[in-house]
Amino acid sequence: MTSEQRPRIAWALGGGGARGFAHLGVLKVLEEENIPVDALAGTSMGAVMAVLFAAGTDLKYLSSLATSISWEKFVDLRFPRYGLVEGKRITPLLRLLTKGKKLEELDIPVRVIATDLLTGEEVIFEQGDTELAVRASISIPGIFTPVLHGDKVFVDGGVVAGVPVAAAREMGMDLVIGVNVASEYDAVAPKNLFEVLYRTVDIMTKRLDQIQTKEADLVITPDVGKVGTVHFQRAEECIEKGEIATREALPKIRKLIEEFQQKGEKQVEFGA
């Protein structure tokens, strides 16, 4: 399949904390099956996975890291003025795994989504400091401290776009496929402040996702809805669920590609 024959595909990777490890399984299958990944837009954990993939970081290594690392070492608790976790420990890891590349230096185009807390507007990072963009995108309100940069105050992109389909669409690709890793509603009462905050954001994000995902050509939904936002110890399970959902979606993905190709061939015939 040549680049002239196939559609250019943008992937919109949604946020969801630990559930976002499912994106590693999704990307693994796309690589194995030679499904195009021409552009990526990511929110929160989806942004993390988008920049790591676009930096050329090996997916097997990332999966191994996700399932073996002690994630609590990257939680730097502080006096909760603006957030419970300062987030400074995560940036050196991001810098290492993205090989110090700026967004515009990544191997494929990436858009990272955050929210301007002062204006309520969606902010789309497409160039500049990768760690800054990702740190802004993962700043869950009340959990991570916001990112102050210039006259902006950034919080999690999930506040405005949990699955950033609109941002992916703006990248000028032919097809947009979303990956939704939102949580399922849980009737069990939250046990602590963290769970209250995470669940509140999850509910808000899920409602917004219902709007954005309607604009995608296809949405893949790994079965990770029962994994908690901070259940990082379940990374292996999430990766596996991402693989399963993507393999199940392969016929639909290939059908989209085939339909696009057929449409292009008809247009050529008509023009001739």
Side-chain angles (χ1 to χ4, degrees), residues 11 18 29 34 37 45 61 69 80 93 95 106 108 113 116 118 136 139-140 180 209 219 232 236 246-248 257 267:
W11 294 80
V29 174
N34 294 315
V37 180
M45 194 61 154
Y61 171 71
I69 199 169
L93 180 63
R95 189 178 306 116
L106 297 174
I108 58 178
I113 316 305
D116 185 341
L118 301 183
S139 296
I140 300 173
N180 190 357
D209 289 346
V219 179
F232 294 102
E236 185 173 4
T246 308
R247 292 198 185 283
E248 290 177 348
I257 293 173
Q267 289 176 338

Side-chain angles (χ1 to χ4, degrees), residues 64-79:
S64 176
L65 184 67
T67 57
S68 62
I69 199 169
S70 297
W71 291 101
E72 63 270 13
K73 293 181 180 179
F74 296 93
V75 177
D76 42 357
L77 293 173
R78 54 166 287 165
F79 182 78

Side-chain angles (χ1 to χ4, degrees), residues 17-25 45 49 66 71 232 234-235 238-239:
R19 295 185 299 277
F21 285 127
H23 296 310
L24 290 176
M45 194 61 154
M49 297 304 163
W71 291 101
F232 294 102
R234 297 177 69 177
C238 292
I239 294 169

Side-chain angles (χ1 to χ4, degrees), residues 123-140:
V123 177
I124 301 176
F125 292 91
E126 56 184 87
Q127 59 183 7
D129 190 326
T130 300
E131 304 102 76
L132 170 69
V134 173
R135 175 62 182 83
S137 186
I138 66 173
S139 296
I140 300 173

Side-chain angles (χ1 to χ4, degrees), residues 115-119 121-123 125 132 136 146-155:
T115 305
D116 185 341
L117 189 61
L118 301 183
T119 65
E121 295 179 347
E122 178 182 59
V123 177
F125 292 91
L132 170 69
V147 171
L148 280 63
H149 184 69
D151 61 349
K152 303 287 187 181
V153 179
F154 297 120
V155 294

Side-chain angles (χ1 to χ4, degrees), residues 165-233:
V165 172
R169 184 70 69 187
E170 291 174 3
M171 298 179 77
M173 300 292 111
D174 301 305
L175 299 173
V176 174
I177 300 178
V179 183
N180 190 357
V181 292
S183 66
E184 295 179 8
Y185 293 123
D186 191 348
V188 178
K191 300 179 181 64
N192 51 52
L193 174 62
F194 276 94
E195 290 192 5
V196 171
L197 291 170
Y198 279 127
R199 194 172 301 183
T200 301
V201 174
D202 283 343
I203 291 171
M204 173 186 63
T205 301
K206 192 166 186 176
R207 290 187 178 274
L208 289 173
D209 289 346
Q210 292 171 355
I211 299 172
Q212 287 244 359
T213 53
K214 290 179 181 179
E215 303 303 317
D217 295 289
L218 178 67
V219 179
I220 298 173
T221 307
D223 184 20
V224 292
K226 293 182 180 179
V227 176
T229 303
V230 294
H231 292 169
F232 294 102
Q233 74 275 12

